Amino acid sequence: MEPQNEKQHQMRINLANRLVTFVRKNGFQSLKIDEIAKIMDISRATLYKYFSTKEDIITFIVSGLVKYIHEIIEDSESNQAYGPRFQHLFEQTILLKEYITDIFLRELEGSYPESYERLKEAMKKREHQELAFYEEGIKQGVFNKIDGRLIVLQDEILRTVLDVKYLMENHLTVYQVLFEYYNLKKTQLFKPDETERIDDNLMIPRMEYMAQKILKDLY
C-alpha cells in the first residue's frame, strides 16, 4: 500500500473506532451524518474526506470485524495443550460478544443485509472451529461428552449478565462474572483429572484486561 493510501486507511480505522463504541451500545440506524461526525469529533467536511456515505462507514466497520474474526481463526494454535487452547478460546469468545452486540446485528440485518451476511458467515466459520475443538477434545478423552452446540448457545447469557442493571442488582463485578463463567465452562468441559492440569493463574491478567475493557464500554 502506498504511504498516502496507508495514511488514509489508518485514519479511516481511527475514525471508525471512535464510532464503534457508540453503535455497539446504541445502534446506528437513526444516526445522521452530522451526528456521526460529532461522535468522531471531526467536521462533516472532514468526514467526507474519508467516507462517502453512512453505508461506507458501516461497511468499513463490518470489514474490520470480519478481518478480526478471520485472524482469530488463523491464530488458533492446534498444537497447544487443551488447557491453553481453551483459555485462548474463552478470551476470544468474551471479546467477540463485547464487539458484536445484538442491537448492532439487528440493525445491520435490517439496513445492510449484504454486510450482515458477510459478518454472519465469518462468525459461523469461527463457531465451526470452536465445535471442532470440542469434538476433538471428546475423542481424545480430555472433555466430557457434551454437545458443543449447547456450550456455544450458553455463551449468549453473557449478553444478559454483562449488563449494568444486572450487575448492580446482583452486586457483582465484571471480573467476578468473567471468572465464574470461566470456571463454569472449564468444569463442564474438562474431565476432573484434566482440570487439575490447567493453570488458572495465566487467566488473571487476561481477565483484568477484559474486565477493564467491558467496564469502559458499559459506562
Side-chain angles (χ1 to χ4, degrees):
M1 189 181 291
E2 295 293 326
Q4 185 60 35
N5 289 338
E6 186 175 346
K7 185 177 179 182
Q8 175 92 357
H9 181 69
Q10 188 56 54
M11 188 60 181
R12 279 163 62 89
I13 291 173
N14 293 341
L15 293 174
N17 285 341
R18 295 178 192 178
L19 184 65
V20 164
T21 299
F22 181 91
V23 300
R24 283 206 312 258
K25 291 168 62 176
N26 306 286
F28 58 83
Q29 208 161 34
S30 63
L31 282 178
K32 306 298 182 186
I33 286 292
D34 286 339
E35 293 171 309
I36 292 173
K38 185 176 180 180
I39 294 167
M40 290 180 173
D41 196 26
I42 56 175
S43 68
R44 181 187 178 112
T46 301
L47 188 153
Y48 279 127
K49 290 180 182 178
Y50 298 99
F51 297 100
S52 57
T53 62
K54 176 178 171 179
E55 181 176 1
D56 184 22
I57 300 169
I58 300 303
T59 300
F60 187 79
I61 289 173
V62 170
S63 294
L65 290 170
V66 169
K67 182 174 182 287
Y68 175 68
I69 294 171
H70 285 163
E71 287 172 352
I72 281 176
I73 294 171
E74 293 169 7
D75 190 41
S76 176
E77 297 287 346
S78 58
N79 60 338
Q80 277 190 324
Y82 282 93
R85 286 172 68 188
F86 162 71
Q87 291 172 329
H88 192 52
L89 191 67
F90 179 86
E91 184 176 9
Q92 291 174 348
T93 298
I94 297 298
L95 292 176
L96 281 175
K97 295 297 179 188
E98 175 65 6
Y99 289 144
I100 305 172
T101 59
D102 285 339
I103 187 170
F104 182 77
L105 283 174
R106 282 197 308 271
E107 294 193 357
L108 192 65
E109 183 179 19
S111 300
Y112 308 115
E114 288 186 9
S115 290
Y116 172 78
E117 289 302 327
R118 284 181 60 217
L119 183 55
K120 288 294 285 186
E121 182 182 354
M123 292 166 66
K124 205 70 181 174
K125 285 182 180 178
R126 195 263 175 178
E127 183 179 308
H128 287 159
Q129 183 188 54
E130 185 178 356
L131 291 172
F133 171 63
Y134 296 147
E135 289 173 10
E136 178 190 327
I138 291 170
K139 288 178 182 177
Q140 294 299 319
V142 176
F143 294 158
N144 294 308
K145 290 184 178 180
I146 185 170
D147 192 330
R149 291 171 297 182
L150 296 178
I151 298 291
V152 171
L153 184 62
Q154 178 182 264
D155 288 335
E156 291 301 313
I157 70 170
L158 289 167
R159 300 191 190 280
T160 300
V161 297
L162 292 176
D163 173 80
V164 174
K165 185 178 179 181
Y166 181 89
L167 293 170
M168 292 181 67
E169 287 178 349
N170 292 277
H171 307 290
L172 291 167
T173 66
V174 172
Y175 184 86
Q176 283 177 302
V177 168
L178 292 180
F179 233 117
E180 288 297 330
Y181 190 59
Y182 164 79
N183 284 319
L184 172 66
K185 288 190 74 170
K186 182 181 68 174
T187 304
Q188 287 174 328
L189 278 172
F190 288 88
K191 291 186 174 181
D193 56 332
E194 296 290 341
T195 304
E196 296 172 4
R197 301 181 187 181
I198 301 173
D199 185 0
D200 293 332
N201 290 323
L202 295 175
M203 288 300 291
I204 293 175
R206 290 150 79 175
M207 291 285 190
E208 290 173 345
Y209 165 77
M210 288 187 286
Q212 288 173 4
K213 186 168 184 58
I214 292 168
L215 271 172
K216 184 179 177 182
D217 290 341
L218 280 177
Y219 296 96

